[in-house]
Every structure is written in structure tokens, then in C-alpha cells.
Coordinates of all heavy atoms in Angstrom, one line a residue:
M1 N 10.7 24.8 14.6 CA 9.9 24.0 15.5 C 9.7 22.6 14.9 O 9.3 22.4 13.8 CB 8.5 24.7 15.7 CG 7.6 23.9 16.7 SD 6.3 25.1 17.1 CE 5.4 24.0 18.1
P2 N 9.8 21.5 15.7 CA 9.7 20.1 15.1 C 8.2 19.8 14.7 O 7.3 20.4 15.3 CB 10.2 19.3 16.3 CG 10.2 20.1 17.5 CD 10.2 21.5 17.1
E3 N 8.1 18.8 13.8 CA 6.7 18.4 13.5 C 6.1 17.9 14.7 O 6.6 17.4 15.7 CB 6.9 17.2 12.5 CG 7.1 17.7 11.0 CD 6.9 16.5 10.1 OE1 5.9 15.9 10.1 OE2 7.9 16.3 9.5
Q4 N 4.7 18.0 14.7 CA 3.9 17.5 15.9 C 2.7 16.7 15.4 O 2.2 16.9 14.2 CB 3.4 18.8 16.7 CG 4.6 19.4 17.4 CD 4.0 20.5 18.4 OE1 2.9 20.9 18.3 NE2 4.9 21.0 19.2
D5 N 2.3 15.8 16.1 CA 1.1 15.0 15.7 C -0.2 15.8 16.3 O 0.0 16.9 16.8 CB 1.1 13.6 16.4 CG 1.0 13.6 17.9 OD1 0.7 14.7 18.4 OD2 0.9 12.4 18.4
P6 N -1.4 15.3 15.9 CA -2.5 16.0 16.3 C -2.7 16.4 17.8 O -3.3 17.3 18.2 CB -3.7 15.2 15.9 CG -3.1 14.5 14.7 CD -1.7 14.2 15.0
K7 N -2.1 15.6 18.7 CA -2.1 15.8 20.1 C -1.0 16.7 20.6 O -0.9 17.0 21.7 CB -2.0 14.5 20.9 CG -3.1 13.6 20.6 CD -3.1 12.3 21.5 CE -4.2 11.4 21.2 NZ -4.1 10.1 21.8
G8 N -0.2 17.2 19.6 CA 0.9 18.2 20.0 C 2.2 17.6 20.4 O 3.1 18.2 20.8
Q9 N 2.2 16.2 20.2 CA 3.5 15.5 20.5 C 4.5 15.6 19.3 O 4.1 15.4 18.3 CB 3.3 14.0 20.9 CG 2.2 13.8 22.0 CD 1.9 12.3 22.2 OE1 2.0 11.6 21.2 NE2 1.6 12.0 23.4
P10 N 5.8 16.0 19.7 CA 6.6 16.1 18.6 C 7.1 14.7 18.0 O 7.2 13.8 18.7 CB 7.9 16.9 19.2 CG 7.8 16.6 20.6 CD 6.3 16.3 20.9
A11 N 7.3 14.7 16.8 CA 8.0 13.5 16.2 C 9.4 13.5 16.5 O 10.1 14.6 16.7 CB 7.9 13.6 14.6
V12 N 10.0 12.3 16.7 CA 11.4 12.2 17.1 C 12.2 12.4 15.9 O 12.1 11.8 14.9 CB 11.6 10.9 17.7 CG1 13.1 10.7 18.0 CG2 10.9 10.7 19.0
A13 N 13.2 13.4 16.0 CA 14.2 13.5 14.8 C 15.4 12.8 15.0 O 16.0 12.6 16.1 CB 14.5 15.0 14.7
A14 N 15.9 12.2 13.8 CA 17.1 11.5 13.8 C 18.3 12.3 13.7 O 19.4 12.0 14.1 CB 17.0 10.4 12.6
G15 N 18.1 13.4 13.0 CA 19.2 14.4 12.8 C 18.6 15.7 12.2 O 17.3 15.8 12.2
P16 N 19.4 16.6 11.9 CA 18.8 17.9 11.3 C 17.9 17.5 10.0 O 18.5 16.9 9.1 CB 20.0 18.7 10.9 CG 21.2 18.1 11.7 CD 20.8 16.6 11.9
G17 N 16.7 17.8 10.2 CA 15.7 17.7 9.0 C 15.3 16.2 8.8 O 14.7 15.9 7.8
Q18 N 15.7 15.2 9.5 CA 15.3 13.9 9.4 C 14.4 13.4 10.6 O 14.8 13.6 11.6 CB 16.5 13.0 9.3 CG 17.5 13.2 8.1 CD 18.6 12.2 8.1 OE1 19.0 11.8 9.2 NE2 19.1 11.9 6.9
T19 N 13.4 12.7 10.2 CA 12.5 12.2 11.3 C 12.7 10.7 11.5 O 12.7 10.0 10.5 CB 11.0 12.4 10.9 OG1 10.8 13.9 10.7 CG2 10.0 11.9 11.9
L20 N 12.9 10.3 12.6 CA 13.2 8.9 13.0 C 11.8 8.1 12.9 O 11.8 7.0 12.3 CB 13.7 8.7 14.4 CG 14.1 7.4 14.8 CD1 15.2 6.7 13.9 CD2 14.7 7.4 16.2
Y21 N 10.8 8.7 13.4 CA 9.4 8.0 13.4 C 8.4 9.0 13.4 O 8.5 10.1 13.8 CB 9.3 6.9 14.5 CG 9.1 7.4 15.8 CD1 8.0 7.9 16.3 CD2 10.3 7.5 16.7 CE1 7.8 8.4 17.5 CE2 10.1 8.0 18.0 CZ 8.9 8.5 18.4 OH 8.7 8.9 19.6
Y22 N 7.2 8.5 12.9 CA 6.0 9.2 13.0 C 4.9 8.6 13.8 O 4.9 7.3 13.9 CB 5.3 9.4 11.6 CG 6.3 10.2 10.6 CD1 7.0 9.5 9.6 CD2 6.3 11.6 10.7 CE1 7.7 10.2 8.8 CE2 7.1 12.3 9.8 CZ 7.8 11.6 8.8 OH 8.6 12.2 7.9
T23 N 4.1 9.3 14.4 CA 3.0 8.7 15.2 C 1.8 8.2 14.4 O 1.8 8.7 13.2 CB 2.4 9.7 16.3 OG1 1.9 10.8 15.5 CG2 3.5 10.3 17.2
V24 N 0.9 7.5 14.9 CA -0.3 7.1 14.1 C -1.1 8.2 13.6 O -1.4 8.2 12.5 CB -1.2 6.2 15.0 CG1 -2.4 5.8 14.3 CG2 -0.4 4.9 15.3
G25 N -1.2 9.2 14.5 CA -1.9 10.4 14.0 C -1.3 11.1 12.9 O -2.0 11.6 11.9
Q26 N 0.1 11.3 12.9 CA 0.7 11.9 11.8 C 0.6 11.2 10.5 O 0.3 11.7 9.5 CB 2.2 12.1 12.2 CG 2.5 13.1 13.2 CD 3.9 13.1 13.7 OE1 4.6 12.0 13.8 NE2 4.5 14.3 13.8
V27 N 0.8 9.8 10.5 CA 0.8 9.0 9.4 C -0.8 9.1 8.8 O -0.9 9.2 7.6 CB 1.2 7.6 9.7 CG1 1.0 6.7 8.3 CG2 2.7 7.7 10.1
A28 N -1.7 9.0 9.7 CA -3.1 9.0 9.2 C -3.4 10.3 8.6 O -4.1 10.3 7.5 CB -4.0 8.8 10.5
K29 N -2.9 11.4 9.0 CA -3.1 12.6 8.4 C -2.4 12.7 7.1 O -3.0 13.2 6.1 CB -2.6 13.8 9.4 CG -2.9 15.1 8.9 CD -2.5 16.2 9.9 CE -3.0 17.6 9.4 NZ -2.6 18.6 10.4
M30 N -1.3 12.3 7.0 CA -0.5 12.1 5.7 C -1.2 11.4 4.6 O -1.3 11.7 3.5 CB 0.9 11.6 5.9 CG 2.0 12.4 6.5 SD 3.6 11.6 6.4 CE 3.7 11.0 8.1
L31 N -1.8 10.2 5.1 CA -2.4 9.3 4.2 C -3.9 9.7 3.9 O -4.5 9.1 3.1 CB -2.4 7.9 4.7 CG -1.0 7.3 4.9 CD1 -1.1 5.9 5.6 CD2 -0.2 7.3 3.6
G32 N -4.4 10.5 4.8 CA -5.8 10.9 4.6 C -6.8 9.8 5.0 O -8.0 9.7 4.5
V33 N -6.4 9.3 6.0 CA -7.4 8.2 6.7 C -7.4 8.6 8.2 O -6.7 9.3 8.7 CB -6.7 6.8 6.6 CG1 -6.6 6.4 5.1 CG2 -5.4 6.5 7.2
S34 N -8.4 7.9 8.8 CA -8.5 8.2 10.2 C -7.5 7.4 11.0 O -7.1 6.3 10.7 CB -9.9 7.7 10.7 OG -10.0 6.3 10.8
P35 N -7.0 8.0 12.2 CA -6.1 7.2 13.1 C -6.7 6.0 13.5 O -6.0 5.0 13.7 CB -6.0 8.3 14.3 CG -6.3 9.6 13.7 CD -7.4 9.4 12.7
R36 N -8.1 5.9 13.7 CA -8.6 4.6 14.1 C -8.5 3.5 13.1 O -8.1 2.3 13.3 CB -10.1 4.8 14.4 CG -10.9 3.6 14.8 CD -10.4 3.0 16.1 NE -11.1 1.8 16.3 CZ -12.0 1.6 17.3 NH1 -12.4 2.7 18.0 NH2 -12.6 0.5 17.5
W37 N -8.6 3.9 11.8 CA -8.4 2.9 10.7 C -7.1 2.3 10.7 O -6.8 1.2 10.6 CB -8.8 3.6 9.4 CG -8.7 2.6 8.2 CD1 -9.6 1.8 7.8 CD2 -7.5 2.4 7.4 NE1 -9.2 1.1 6.7 CE2 -7.8 1.5 6.4 CE3 -6.2 3.0 7.4 CZ2 -6.9 1.0 5.5 CZ3 -5.4 2.5 6.4 CH2 -5.7 1.6 5.5
L38 N -6.0 3.3 10.8 CA -4.7 2.9 10.7 C -4.3 2.1 12.0 O -3.6 1.1 11.8 CB -3.8 4.2 10.7 CG -2.3 3.9 10.4 CD1 -2.0 3.1 9.2 CD2 -1.6 5.3 10.4
A39 N -4.8 2.5 13.2 CA -4.5 1.7 14.4 C -5.1 0.3 14.2 O -4.5 -0.7 14.6 CB -5.0 2.4 15.6
D40 N -6.3 0.2 13.6 CA -6.9 -1.2 13.4 C -6.0 -1.9 12.5 O -5.9 -3.3 12.7 CB -8.3 -1.0 12.9 CG -9.3 -0.5 13.9 OD1 -9.0 -0.5 15.1 OD2 -10.5 -0.1 13.4
R41 N -5.5 -1.4 11.5 CA -4.6 -2.1 10.5 C -3.4 -2.6 11.3 O -2.9 -3.7 11.0 CB -4.2 -1.3 9.3 CG -5.3 -0.7 8.5 CD -6.1 -1.7 7.6 NE -7.2 -2.5 8.3 CZ -8.4 -1.9 8.6 NH1 -8.6 -0.7 8.4 NH2 -9.3 -2.6 9.1
C42 N -2.9 -1.8 12.2 CA -1.7 -2.2 13.0 C -2.0 -3.3 13.9 O -1.2 -4.3 13.9 CB -1.2 -1.0 13.9 SG -0.5 0.3 12.8
R43 N -3.1 -3.3 14.6 CA -3.5 -4.3 15.5 C -3.8 -5.6 14.7 O -3.5 -6.6 15.2 CB -4.8 -4.0 16.3 CG -4.5 -3.0 17.5 CD -5.7 -2.9 18.5 NE -6.7 -2.1 17.7 CZ -6.7 -0.7 17.7 NH1 -5.7 -0.2 18.3 NH2 -7.7 0.0 17.2
A44 N -4.2 -5.5 13.6 CA -4.5 -6.8 12.7 C -3.2 -7.3 12.1 O -3.3 -8.3 11.4 CB -5.6 -6.5 11.7
E45 N -2.1 -6.5 12.3 CA -0.8 -6.8 11.7 C -0.9 -6.8 10.1 O -0.3 -7.6 9.5 CB -0.3 -8.2 12.2 CG 0.0 -8.1 13.8 CD 0.5 -9.4 14.3 OE1 0.8 -10.3 13.5 OE2 0.8 -9.5 15.5
E46 N -1.6 -5.9 9.6 CA -1.8 -5.7 8.1 C -0.8 -4.7 7.6 O -0.6 -4.8 6.4 CB -3.1 -5.4 7.7 CG -4.2 -6.3 8.1 CD -5.7 -5.9 7.8 OE1 -5.8 -4.8 7.1 OE2 -6.6 -6.5 8.3
V47 N -0.2 -3.9 8.4 CA 0.8 -2.9 8.0 C 2.0 -3.1 9.0 O 1.8 -3.3 10.1 CB 0.2 -1.5 8.0 CG1 -0.8 -1.3 6.9 CG2 -0.2 -1.0 9.3
D48 N 3.2 -2.8 8.4 CA 4.4 -2.9 9.2 C 4.4 -1.6 10.1 O 4.1 -0.5 9.6 CB 5.6 -2.8 8.3 CG 5.8 -4.2 7.7 OD1 5.2 -5.1 8.2 OD2 6.8 -4.3 6.8
H49 N 4.8 -1.7 11.4 CA 5.0 -0.6 12.3 C 5.9 -1.0 13.4 O 6.2 -2.1 13.6 CB 3.6 -0.1 12.7 CG 2.9 -1.1 13.6 ND1 2.3 -2.2 13.0 CD2 2.7 -1.3 14.9 CE1 1.8 -2.9 14.0 NE2 2.0 -2.3 15.1
V50 N 6.2 0.0 14.1 CA 7.0 -0.2 15.4 C 6.1 -0.1 16.6 O 5.3 0.8 16.7 CB 8.2 0.9 15.5 CG1 8.9 0.7 16.8 CG2 9.1 0.8 14.3
Y51 N 6.2 -1.1 17.4 CA 5.3 -0.9 18.7 C 6.3 -1.1 19.8 O 7.0 -2.0 20.1 CB 4.4 -2.3 18.8 CG 3.4 -2.2 19.9 CD1 2.4 -1.4 19.8 CD2 3.6 -3.0 20.9 CE1 1.5 -1.3 20.9 CE2 2.7 -3.0 22.0 CZ 1.7 -2.1 22.0 OH 0.7 -2.0 23.0
M52 N 6.4 0.2 20.5 CA 7.4 0.4 21.6 C 6.7 1.2 22.7 O 6.2 2.1 22.4 CB 8.6 1.0 21.0 CG 9.7 1.0 21.9 SD 11.3 1.8 21.2 CE 10.8 2.6 19.8
A53 N 6.9 0.7 23.9 CA 6.4 1.4 25.0 C 4.9 1.7 25.0 O 4.4 2.8 25.2 CB 7.1 2.8 25.3
R54 N 4.2 0.7 24.4 CA 2.7 0.7 24.3 C 2.3 1.8 23.3 O 1.2 2.4 23.3 CB 2.1 0.9 25.6 CG 2.3 -0.3 26.5 CD 1.6 -0.2 27.9 NE 0.2 -0.3 27.6 CZ -0.6 0.1 28.5 NH1 -0.3 0.4 29.8 NH2 -2.0 0.0 28.3
K55 N 3.1 2.2 22.3 CA 2.9 3.3 21.4 C 3.2 2.7 20.0 O 4.2 1.9 19.8 CB 3.7 4.4 21.5 CG 3.6 5.1 22.8 CD 2.4 6.0 22.9 CE 2.3 6.7 24.2 NZ 1.1 7.0 24.8
R56 N 2.3 2.9 19.0 CA 2.6 2.4 17.6 C 3.3 3.6 16.9 O 2.7 4.8 17.0 CB 1.2 2.0 16.9 CG 0.7 0.9 17.6 CD -0.6 0.5 17.0 NE -1.4 -0.4 17.9 CZ -1.1 -1.7 18.1 NH1 -0.1 -2.3 17.5 NH2 -1.8 -2.3 18.9
K57 N 4.3 3.3 16.2 CA 5.1 4.4 15.5 C 5.4 3.8 14.0 O 5.4 2.6 13.8 CB 6.3 4.7 16.3 CG 6.0 5.2 17.6 CD 7.3 5.2 18.6 CE 6.7 5.6 20.0 NZ 7.8 5.3 20.9
F58 N 5.8 4.7 13.2 CA 6.1 4.3 11.8 C 7.5 5.0 11.4 O 7.6 6.3 11.6 CB 5.0 4.8 10.9 CG 3.8 4.1 11.0 CD1 2.9 4.5 12.0 CD2 3.5 2.9 10.3 CE1 1.6 3.9 12.1 CE2 2.3 2.2 10.3 CZ 1.3 2.9 11.3
T59 N 8.3 4.3 10.8 CA 9.5 4.9 10.2 C 9.1 5.4 8.8 O 8.1 5.0 8.3 CB 10.7 3.9 10.1 OG1 10.3 2.8 9.2 CG2 11.0 3.3 11.4
P60 N 9.9 6.4 8.3 CA 9.6 6.9 7.0 C 9.5 5.7 5.9 O 8.6 5.7 5.0 CB 10.8 7.8 6.7 CG 11.1 8.3 8.0 CD 10.9 7.1 8.9
A61 N 10.3 4.6 6.1 CA 10.3 3.5 5.2 C 9.0 2.8 5.3 O 8.4 2.3 4.3 CB 11.5 2.6 5.3
Q62 N 8.4 2.6 6.5 CA 7.1 2.0 6.8 C 6.0 2.7 6.2 O 5.0 2.1 5.7 CB 7.0 1.6 8.2 CG 7.9 0.6 8.8 CD 7.9 0.5 10.2 OE1 7.7 1.4 11.0 NE2 8.3 -0.7 10.8
V63 N 6.1 4.0 6.2 CA 5.0 4.9 5.6 C 5.0 4.6 4.2 O 3.9 4.4 3.6 CB 5.3 6.3 5.9 CG1 4.3 7.2 5.3 CG2 5.2 6.7 7.4
E64 N 6.2 4.6 3.5 CA 6.2 4.3 2.1 C 5.6 3.0 1.8 O 4.9 2.8 0.8 CB 7.7 4.4 1.6 CG 8.3 5.8 1.5 CD 7.6 6.6 0.5 OE1 7.2 6.1 -0.6 OE2 7.3 7.8 0.7
K65 N 6.0 2.0 2.6 CA 5.4 0.7 2.4 C 4.0 0.6 2.5 O 3.3 -0.1 1.7 CB 6.2 -0.4 3.4 CG 5.8 -1.8 3.0 CD 6.6 -2.8 3.9 CE 6.3 -4.2 3.5 NZ 7.1 -5.2 4.4
V66 N 3.3 1.3 3.4 CA 1.9 1.3 3.6 C 1.3 2.0 2.3 O 0.4 1.4 1.7 CB 1.5 2.2 4.8 CG1 -0.1 2.4 4.7 CG2 1.8 1.4 6.1
L67 N 1.9 2.9 1.7 CA 1.5 3.6 0.5 C 1.5 2.7 -0.6 O 0.6 2.5 -1.4 CB 2.3 4.8 0.1 CG 1.9 6.0 0.9 CD1 2.9 7.2 0.5 CD2 0.6 6.5 0.5
K68 N 2.6 1.9 -0.8 CA 2.8 0.9 -1.8 C 1.8 -0.3 -1.6 O 1.2 -0.7 -2.6 CB 4.2 0.4 -1.9 CG 5.2 1.3 -2.4 CD 6.6 0.8 -2.5 CE 7.6 1.8 -2.8 NZ 9.0 1.5 -2.8
Q69 N 1.5 -0.7 -0.4 CA 0.6 -1.8 -0.1 C -0.7 -1.5 -0.5 O -1.5 -2.4 -1.0 CB 0.7 -2.0 1.4 CG -0.1 -3.3 1.9 CD 0.1 -3.5 3.3 OE1 1.0 -3.0 3.9 NE2 -0.7 -4.3 3.9
Y70 N -1.2 -0.3 -0.4 CA -2.5 0.1 -0.7 C -2.7 0.8 -2.1 O -3.8 1.4 -2.3 CB -3.2 0.9 0.4 CG -3.5 0.0 1.6 CD1 -2.6 -0.1 2.8 CD2 -4.7 -0.7 1.7 CE1 -2.9 -0.9 3.7 CE2 -5.0 -1.5 2.8 CZ -4.0 -1.6 3.8 OH -4.4 -2.4 4.9
T71 N -1.7 0.8 -2.8 CA -1.7 1.5 -4.1 C -2.4 0.5 -5.1 O -1.9 -0.6 -5.2 CB -0.3 1.8 -4.6 OG1 0.2 2.9 -3.7 CG2 -0.4 2.4 -6.0
V72 N -3.3 1.0 -5.8 CA -4.0 0.3 -6.9 C -3.5 0.8 -8.3 O -3.8 1.9 -8.6 CB -5.6 0.2 -6.7 CG1 -6.2 -0.6 -7.9 CG2 -5.9 -0.2 -5.4
E73 N -2.9 -0.1 -8.9 CA -2.5 0.4 -10.3 C -3.6 0.1 -11.3 O -4.3 -0.8 -11.2 CB -1.3 -0.4 -10.7 CG 0.0 0.0 -9.7 CD 1.2 -0.7 -10.2 OE1 1.3 -1.1 -11.3 OE2 2.1 -0.7 -9.3
G74 N -3.5 0.9 -12.3 CA -4.5 0.9 -13.5 C -4.2 -0.4 -14.3 O -3.2 -1.1 -14.2
P75 N -5.2 -0.7 -15.3 CA -5.0 -2.0 -16.0 C -3.8 -1.8 -17.0 O -3.4 -0.7 -17.4 CB -6.2 -2.1 -16.8 CG -6.8 -0.7 -16.8 CD -6.3 -0.1 -15.5
D76 N -3.2 -2.9 -17.2 CA -2.1 -3.0 -18.2 C -2.7 -3.3 -19.6 O -3.0 -4.5 -19.8 CB -1.0 -4.2 -17.8 CG 0.0 -4.2 -18.7 OD1 0.1 -3.5 -19.7 OD2 1.0 -5.0 -18.4
F77 N -3.0 -2.2 -20.4 CA -3.8 -2.5 -21.6 C -3.0 -3.3 -22.5 O -3.6 -4.0 -23.3 CB -4.1 -1.1 -22.1 CG -5.1 -0.3 -21.3 CD1 -4.7 0.9 -20.6 CD2 -6.4 -0.8 -21.3 CE1 -5.6 1.5 -19.9 CE2 -7.3 -0.1 -20.5 CZ -6.9 1.1 -19.9
E78 N -1.7 -3.2 -22.6 CA -0.8 -4.0 -23.5 C -1.0 -5.5 -23.1 O -1.2 -6.3 -24.0 CB 0.7 -3.6 -23.5 CG 1.5 -4.3 -24.5 CD 1.1 -4.0 -25.9 OE1 0.5 -2.9 -26.2 OE2 1.4 -4.9 -26.8
A79 N -0.9 -5.8 -22.0 CA -1.1 -7.3 -21.5 C -2.5 -7.8 -21.9 O -2.7 -8.9 -22.3 CB -0.7 -7.4 -20.0
E80 N -3.5 -6.9 -21.6 CA -4.9 -7.2 -22.0 C -5.1 -7.5 -23.5 O -5.6 -8.6 -23.9 CB -5.8 -6.2 -21.5 CG -7.3 -6.5 -21.6 CD -8.1 -5.5 -20.9 OE1 -7.7 -4.9 -19.9 OE2 -9.2 -5.2 -21.5
R81 N -4.4 -6.6 -24.2 CA -4.4 -6.7 -25.8 C -3.8 -8.1 -26.2 O -4.3 -8.8 -27.0 CB -3.7 -5.7 -26.4 CG -3.9 -5.7 -28.0 CD -3.0 -4.6 -28.7 NE -1.7 -4.7 -28.4 CZ -0.8 -5.7 -28.9 NH1 -1.3 -6.5 -29.8 NH2 0.4 -5.7 -28.6
R82 N -2.7 -8.5 -25.6 CA -1.9 -9.7 -26.0 C -2.7 -10.9 -25.6 O -2.9 -11.9 -26.3 CB -0.6 -9.8 -25.2 CG 0.5 -8.9 -25.8 CD 1.8 -9.1 -25.4 NE 2.0 -9.1 -23.9 CZ 2.2 -8.0 -23.1 NH1 2.6 -6.9 -23.7 NH2 2.3 -8.1 -21.8
E83 N -3.4 -10.9 -24.4 CA -4.3 -11.9 -24.0 C -5.5 -12.1 -24.9 O -5.8 -13.2 -25.3 CB -4.9 -11.7 -22.6 CG -5.8 -12.7 -22.0 CD -5.1 -14.1 -21.8 OE1 -3.9 -14.3 -21.9 OE2 -5.9 -15.1 -21.6
Q84 N -6.1 -11.1 -25.4 CA -7.2 -11.0 -26.3 C -6.7 -11.7 -27.7 O -7.4 -12.5 -28.3 CB -7.9 -9.7 -26.6 CG -8.6 -9.3 -25.4 CD -9.1 -7.9 -25.6 OE1 -8.7 -7.1 -26.4 NE2 -9.9 -7.4 -24.5
E85 N -5.6 -11.3 -28.1 CA -5.0 -11.8 -29.4 C -4.7 -13.3 -29.2 O -5.0 -14.2 -30.1 CB -3.7 -11.2 -29.7 CG -3.9 -9.7 -30.3 CD -2.6 -9.0 -30.5 OE1 -1.5 -9.7 -30.3 OE2 -2.7 -7.8 -30.9
R86 N -4.2 -13.8 -28.0 CA -4.0 -15.1 -27.9 C -5.2 -15.9 -27.8 O -5.4 -17.1 -28.5 CB -3.3 -15.4 -26.4 CG -2.8 -16.8 -26.2 CD -2.3 -16.9 -24.7 NE -3.4 -16.7 -23.8 CZ -4.1 -17.7 -23.4 NH1 -4.3 -18.8 -24.0 NH2 -5.1 -17.4 -22.5
I87 N -6.3 -15.5 -27.2 CA -7.6 -16.1 -27.2 C -8.2 -16.3 -28.7 O -8.6 -17.3 -29.1 CB -8.6 -15.4 -26.3 CG1 -8.1 -15.6 -24.9 CG2 -10.0 -15.8 -26.5 CD1 -8.9 -14.7 -23.9
A88 N -8.1 -15.2 -29.4 CA -8.5 -15.1 -30.9 C -7.8 -16.2 -31.7 O -8.3 -16.9 -32.5 CB -8.4 -13.7 -31.5
R89 N -6.4 -16.3 -31.5 CA -5.5 -17.2 -32.3 C -6.1 -18.7 -31.9 O -6.2 -19.5 -32.8 CB -4.1 -17.1 -32.0 CG -3.4 -16.0 -32.7 CD -1.9 -16.1 -32.5 NE -1.5 -16.2 -31.3 CZ -1.1 -15.1 -30.5 NH1 -1.4 -14.0 -30.9 NH2 -0.6 -15.4 -29.2
R90 N -6.3 -19.0 -30.6 CA -6.7 -20.3 -30.2 C -8.1 -20.7 -30.9 O -8.4 -21.7 -31.3 CB -6.8 -20.5 -28.7 CG -5.4 -20.5 -28.0 CD -5.5 -20.5 -26.6 NE -6.2 -21.7 -26.2 CZ -6.5 -22.1 -25.0 NH1 -6.3 -21.2 -23.9 NH2 -7.0 -23.2 -24.6
A91 N -9.0 -19.7 -30.8 CA -10.3 -19.8 -31.5 C -10.3 -20.1 -32.9 O -10.9 -21.1 -33.4 CB -11.2 -18.6 -31.2
R92 N -9.3 -19.4 -33.6 CA -9.2 -19.7 -35.0 C -8.6 -21.0 -35.3 O -9.0 -21.7 -36.3 CB -8.3 -18.6 -35.7 CG -9.0 -17.3 -35.8 CD -8.2 -16.2 -36.7 NE -6.9 -16.0 -36.1 CZ -6.7 -14.9 -35.3 NH1 -7.6 -14.1 -35.0 NH2 -5.4 -14.8 -34.9
A93 N -7.6 -21.4 -34.5 CA -7.0 -22.7 -34.6 C -8.0 -23.9 -34.5 O -8.1 -24.9 -35.2 CB -5.8 -22.8 -33.7
R94 N -8.9 -23.7 -33.3 CA -10.0 -24.7 -33.1 C -10.9 -24.7 -34.3 O -11.3 -25.9 -34.7 CB -10.7 -24.3 -31.9 CG -10.0 -24.9 -30.6 CD -10.8 -24.8 -29.3 NE -10.1 -23.9 -28.5 CZ -10.7 -22.8 -27.9 NH1 -12.0 -22.5 -28.1 NH2 -10.0 -22.0 -27.2
A95 N -11.3 -23.6 -34.8 CA -12.3 -23.6 -35.9 C -11.6 -24.2 -37.1 O -12.3 -25.0 -37.9 CB -12.6 -22.1 -36.3
A96 N -10.4 -24.0 -37.5 CA -9.6 -24.6 -38.6 C -9.6 -26.2 -38.3 O -9.7 -26.9 -39.3 CB -8.3 -24.0 -38.7
A97 N -9.4 -26.6 -37.1 CA -9.2 -28.1 -36.9 C -10.6 -28.7 -37.1 O -10.6 -29.8 -37.6 CB -8.8 -28.2 -35.5
R98 N -11.7 -28.0 -36.8 CA -13.0 -28.7 -36.9 C -13.4 -28.7 -38.4 O -14.0 -29.6 -38.8 CB -14.0 -27.7 -36.3 CG -14.2 -28.0 -34.8 CD -15.3 -27.3 -34.2 NE -14.8 -26.5 -33.1 CZ -15.2 -25.2 -32.8 NH1 -16.1 -24.6 -33.5 NH2 -14.6 -24.7 -31.7
R99 N -12.7 -27.8 -39.1 CA -13.2 -27.8 -40.7 C -12.5 -29.1 -41.4 O -12.8 -29.4 -42.4 CB -12.7 -26.5 -41.3 CG -13.8 -25.4 -41.1 CD -13.5 -24.2 -41.8 NE -12.8 -23.2 -40.9 CZ -11.8 -22.4 -41.0 NH1 -11.3 -22.3 -42.2 NH2 -11.5 -21.6 -40.1
K100 N -11.4 -29.5 -40.7 CA -10.6 -30.6 -41.4 C -11.3 -31.9 -41.4 O -12.0 -32.4 -40.7 CB -9.3 -30.8 -40.8 CG -8.4 -29.6 -41.2 CD -7.0 -29.7 -40.6 CE -6.0 -28.7 -41.1 NZ -4.7 -28.8 -40.6

């Protein structure tokens, strides 16, 4: 049986085991957000989507892009450490210049 959105509409399949697009309801469920939130992002043109026949749809690549777009990565501790070392070197250089 093909995948269905919350209203019972099947997702369109591109071939055996491949989905051509997902509905807003399906993507919202996958992402753990409300369909209204996702539809609002679509209307505001904040996320890529397909708008055809007055329906908003998402390709698998667009779903991945939404995930990447809203992914927050943790801090880069190595870059932060290098920045702190750079600041400390500049402070030492300024202190040495004042002593001269």
C-alpha cells in the first residue's frame, strides 16, 4: 500500500519504492512540526517547495534542504580556542609595546 498523508491521500510514486513528492502533511509529520507552520513557511517563500494545481508539495531533495536549512550546529570549539589565543597574543603584544 502506498504512503498516505494524514487526509489519506497517497504520495505520488516515481517508480518502485521511490516517492516523487510528499504533501505538506506528510513532510510536517516527518519533521515533527505542524502542517500550518510548514504551509506558512511555504507562503512566506522561506522553504523550497513545488506549488502545482493549488497544492504545495515537496520532493525528497526539498525535504532534505528544509532539514539542512533549520539545522543548528554546535559550537566549533577548536575555532573558538584559536580565537581566544589570537586575542591573548594581541593583548600581550600591546602590553609589551606599552612597556617600551
Side-chain angles (χ1 to χ4, degrees):
M1 183 162 176
E3 279 188 60
Q4 294 186 344
D5 73 0
K7 293 181 182 177
Q9 299 171 337
V12 175
Q18 294 181 332
T19 300
L20 181 61
Y21 69 82
Y22 297 102
T23 65
V24 170
Q26 289 172 315
V27 175
K29 189 173 182 179
M30 283 188 259
L31 300 177
V33 299
S34 74
R36 175 64 183 256
W37 181 88
L38 186 56
D40 287 347
R41 300 290 86 69
C42 291
R43 277 189 289 280
E45 297 182 2
E46 294 176 14
V47 296
D48 288 347
H49 63 285
V50 175
Y51 187 71
M52 186 172 25
R54 298 180 64 191
K55 302 275 187 220
R56 298 178 196 284
K57 302 166 186 163
F58 293 85
T59 64
Q62 289 169 329
V63 174
E64 288 293 323
K65 190 170 180 182
V66 170
L67 277 173
K68 287 178 185 174
Q69 183 176 347
Y70 285 94
T71 297
V72 178
E73 295 186 16
D76 181 357
F77 292 112
E78 185 60 28
E80 189 175 319
R81 184 188 61 78
R82 287 191 305 267
E83 178 66 13
Q84 289 172 351
E85 286 176 1
R86 185 186 68 77
I87 292 169
R89 280 194 307 273
R90 288 179 65 192
R92 286 192 298 269
R94 274 191 245 126
R98 279 189 235 136
R99 279 185 256 146
K100 289 184 180 182

